[in-house]
Amino acid sequence: MMLSRRQTFAAAAAAIAAPRLALGQSQDRPLRFVVNVGLQNLDPISSPSFVTRNFGYLVFDTLVSLDGSGRYRPQMLEGWDVSADKLSWTFRLRDGLAFHDGAPVTSEDVIASLKRWGARDSIGRRLMAATAELVPDGPKGFKLRLSRPFGGVIEALGKPSVHVPMIMPARIANATPPTQQVSEIVGSGPYMFQRSEWVPGDKATFRRNEKYVPRSEPADGLAGGKIAKIDRVEMLTLPDIAVRYAALTRGEVDYLEYAPVDLIPRMRRDRNLTFAKASGRAELIYAVSINHFQPPMDNVLVRRALQQCLDRVEVLGGAGFGGDLGRPDCTSMLMCGAPYESNAGADIIGNPSIDKAKALLAEAGYKNEKIVLLHPLDSPLLNPYGSVLIDRMKRAGFNVDVQGLEWSAIAQRWVQRNPLDSGGWSVIPVVYTGFDMSDPLSNMGIGFNCTGNQPWGYCDSKMSPVLEQFEAESDPAKRKALAAELQKLATEAATFPIAGQFQSPAVWRSELKGVIDFGFPVIWNIER
């Protein structure tokens, strides 16, 4: 049953107000942060959801972490050694690591967790395919021996976003297929999940892990000492934008994962609020998911015509991300401000136009075939972008069959390969984070080439050997050159056209101290 706006507001307000009255008399005042969508899946390996990733960083820990400067640093690891040929790696766990059930973290737990992650994640699959042996080296060490060069071992182990290689007990990892949600949540991170208090899709509660031993270095991005300075944390979902704003300004919640874009000018004038400033990989990018399995989108000229409809100035402005929030000049699929930023392919998409789109459709021999566009009506990020996309595609001459749906319904159809007249689709407006798009091996328009395991299904024969070279290369300069070549090939093939990079900042109460501005909620190190 769908709730009205009035019902949603009342329910959310009650959910906040009731515990607020009780906690106002307690010294255990929680930190409350609001995430963009409800938490339904608790397993960071089986779920591709960003909210599950946010949950995971509270409860679990990682071997390697990305700091605020983009460096990969040991986290659960004490360190590592690598052979001269970079085919043999020896890793050592640091002292003091224990799971929430009291059991010590061992090499067996690490290996089981990595194998489960490696059967699910895009980069993890590549790493496991290049692995000849992954074995214990005593209770606190393990060895990785590669069968062929793999240039991003540490980057893979420190992957910051979905799917994150988080460590759980071997008894759980070994017993649960990677596509199935684990039944027991046991991590070794700075907070402990209070499952008895969980209301799926609404609220999750955490308590400080008194036995967690943080690293000695200061907290920096996802790296350094994860010191839980507040005893109790609550992750909330407030569907109504007005409720989110009111709750933050009244001090009923402390942190919003995304500030309501329409209210940002007003919120910036409030001295009680602080906005995130993280950029580069911390930003978002609009794109178009194209069904390469379905004609006429299997024709590269038709896809290039669609690519010419993506005027980044108009898209970002229409979605509310004009001014300093948007980067309409950015043409990098690998994110501007990120390590592999490149202008390769800018000659193709630098100046998109309706006239170019019309000419490409004529060259393709397009005969007014139907294009089914699934329009996410309930997403404040995707709805306005979709409206601009629809208008420009129609002006270019596409026969667009617009089907407006909630995102949950679109997500179900997205993975199907049905014909257009039987629930199939051609085009979906989407948004991704820079943490997912900035590495060629996880980039949605590059890293899944010819795998056949994603709904868009692109396969460009020119990209495959370059991807293999990138995967094997360890020299940073050579990797950057190969990344640029991959971006150019993906742009030429219009595998996953981009439509504009922008910042949708987090915002929090200024009374909070030590907030780590990283690009998604980092809850440790915060105090009042």
Side-chain angles (χ1 to χ4, degrees), residues 341-506:
E341 175 184 351
S342 171
N343 61 3
D347 56 320
I348 300 173
I349 64 172
N351 297 292
S353 77
I354 296 295
D355 289 340
K356 290 180 184 177
K358 291 179 177 179
L360 284 164
L361 284 180
E363 184 181 353
Y366 177 66
K367 298 178 181 178
N368 206 42
E369 295 98 326
K370 181 171 67 174
I371 307 293
V372 175
L373 186 147
L374 305 185
H375 186 191
L377 298 179
D378 62 334
S379 170
L381 281 180
L382 292 175
N383 188 357
Y385 159 41
S387 297
V388 175
L389 174 62
I390 291 163
D391 175 66
R392 290 185 63 81
M393 287 182 67
K394 288 181 175 179
R395 287 162 55 193
F398 283 97
N399 176 16
V400 186
D401 176 9
V402 179
Q403 299 184 17
L405 301 164
E406 293 186 351
W407 179 254
S408 58
I410 291 175
Q412 292 178 12
R413 287 177 59 177
W414 195 10
V415 297
Q416 303 297 322
R417 297 184 184 178
N418 298 334
L420 298 186
D421 293 331
S422 303
W425 62 277
S426 308
V427 169
I428 304 174
V430 293
V431 63
Y432 277 91
T433 73
F435 294 107
D436 302 285
M437 294 288 284
S438 60
D439 188 314
L441 298 184
S442 62
N443 183 281
M444 303 303 160
I446 297 173
F448 297 90
N449 188 58
C450 298
T451 62
N453 67 345
Q454 295 295 329
W456 36 89
Y458 60 88
C459 184
D460 185 87
S461 60
K462 296 178 182 176
M463 288 175 60
S464 297
V466 187
L467 268 168
E468 292 175 2
Q469 292 176 56
F470 180 87
E471 178 184 303
E473 186 56 63
S474 57
D475 180 83
K478 292 180 180 179
R479 283 172 70 88
K480 188 172 179 63
L482 289 166
E485 186 176 351
L486 287 166
Q487 176 174 293
K488 186 174 189 299
L489 291 170
T491 304
E492 290 174 347
T495 58
F496 200 81
I498 59 171
Q501 181 174 327
F502 61 98
Q503 181 185 105
S504 186

Side-chain angles (χ1 to χ4, degrees), residues 26-255:
S26 169
Q27 298 300 316
D28 186 19
R29 180 183 172 192
L31 174 75
R32 289 181 172 142
F33 73 105
V34 179
V35 290
N36 199 43
V37 296
L39 178 67
Q40 299 284 357
N41 189 321
L42 306 177
D43 182 358
I45 304 304
S46 71
S47 172
S49 172
F50 295 145
V51 70
T52 303
R53 172 205 63 194
N54 297 344
F55 167 86
Y57 272 112
L58 284 163
V59 177
F60 299 95
D61 214 343
T62 59
L63 299 173
V64 178
S65 290
L66 188 69
D67 71 13
S69 300
R71 296 171 299 177
Y72 292 89
R73 291 164 46 181
Q75 186 59 40
M76 295 177 75
L77 293 174
E78 182 65 34
W80 55 79
D81 297 309
V82 60
S83 62
D85 61 6
K86 298 184 179 180
L87 293 178
S88 296
W89 297 73
T90 302
F91 298 93
R92 304 175 303 280
L93 292 171
R94 64 184 177 90
D95 294 334
L97 300 177
F99 289 112
H100 297 160
D101 62 2
V105 178
T106 69
S107 55
E108 295 284 358
D109 301 309
V110 171
I111 290 169
S113 297
L114 291 180
K115 287 183 176 179
R116 183 170 185 262
W117 163 76
R120 176 70 166 160
D121 179 68
S122 59
I123 297 179
R125 284 185 192 148
R126 293 180 180 274
L127 176 58
M128 291 299 116
T131 296
E133 189 177 51
L134 180 61
V135 295
D137 184 25
K140 294 179 60 179
F142 62 98
K143 292 184 177 181
L144 170 69
R145 185 170 61 83
L146 298 171
S147 60
R148 63 176 187 264
F150 189 93
V153 170
I154 299 303
E155 290 86 345
L157 298 181
K159 187 183 180 189
S161 195
V162 292
H163 300 275
V164 181
M166 293 174 171
I167 305 303
M168 60 185 64
R171 62 180 177 83
I172 297 175
N174 286 332
T176 315
T179 55
Q180 178 181 321
Q181 183 176 181
V182 296
S183 59
E184 187 180 0
I185 301 300
V186 180
S188 63
Y191 281 93
M192 301 174 67
F193 176 51
Q194 306 299 292
R195 189 159 196 154
S196 63
E197 301 179 29
W198 180 39
V199 181
D202 181 27
K203 176 182 176 182
T205 303
F206 310 83
R207 281 282 184 183
R208 182 162 63 95
N209 179 8
E210 300 282 356
K211 297 182 179 179
Y212 182 76
V213 179
R215 296 188 67 89
S216 59
E217 310 96 306
D220 183 356
L222 299 175
K226 298 181 178 181
I227 301 177
K229 298 183 178 181
I230 294 180
D231 287 340
R232 180 180 171 93
V233 170
E234 295 177 1
M235 175 190 287
L236 303 175
T237 308
L238 303 177
D240 193 289
I241 297 299
V243 172
R244 295 186 192 184
Y245 169 71
L248 183 69
T249 55
R250 292 198 299 257
E252 293 169 345
V253 300
D254 301 286
Y255 183 113

Side-chain angles (χ1 to χ4, degrees), residues 306-328:
L306 171 57
Q307 197 166 234
Q308 289 299 321
C309 294
L310 302 176
D311 185 305
R312 295 176 299 281
V313 172
E314 191 168 339
V315 166
L316 294 174
F321 296 105
D324 62 346
L325 293 177
R327 293 198 184 196

Side-chain angles (χ1 to χ4, degrees), residues 332-346:
S332 179
M333 284 184 69
L334 297 166
M335 305 297 292
C336 291
Y340 294 114
E341 175 184 351
S342 171
N343 61 3

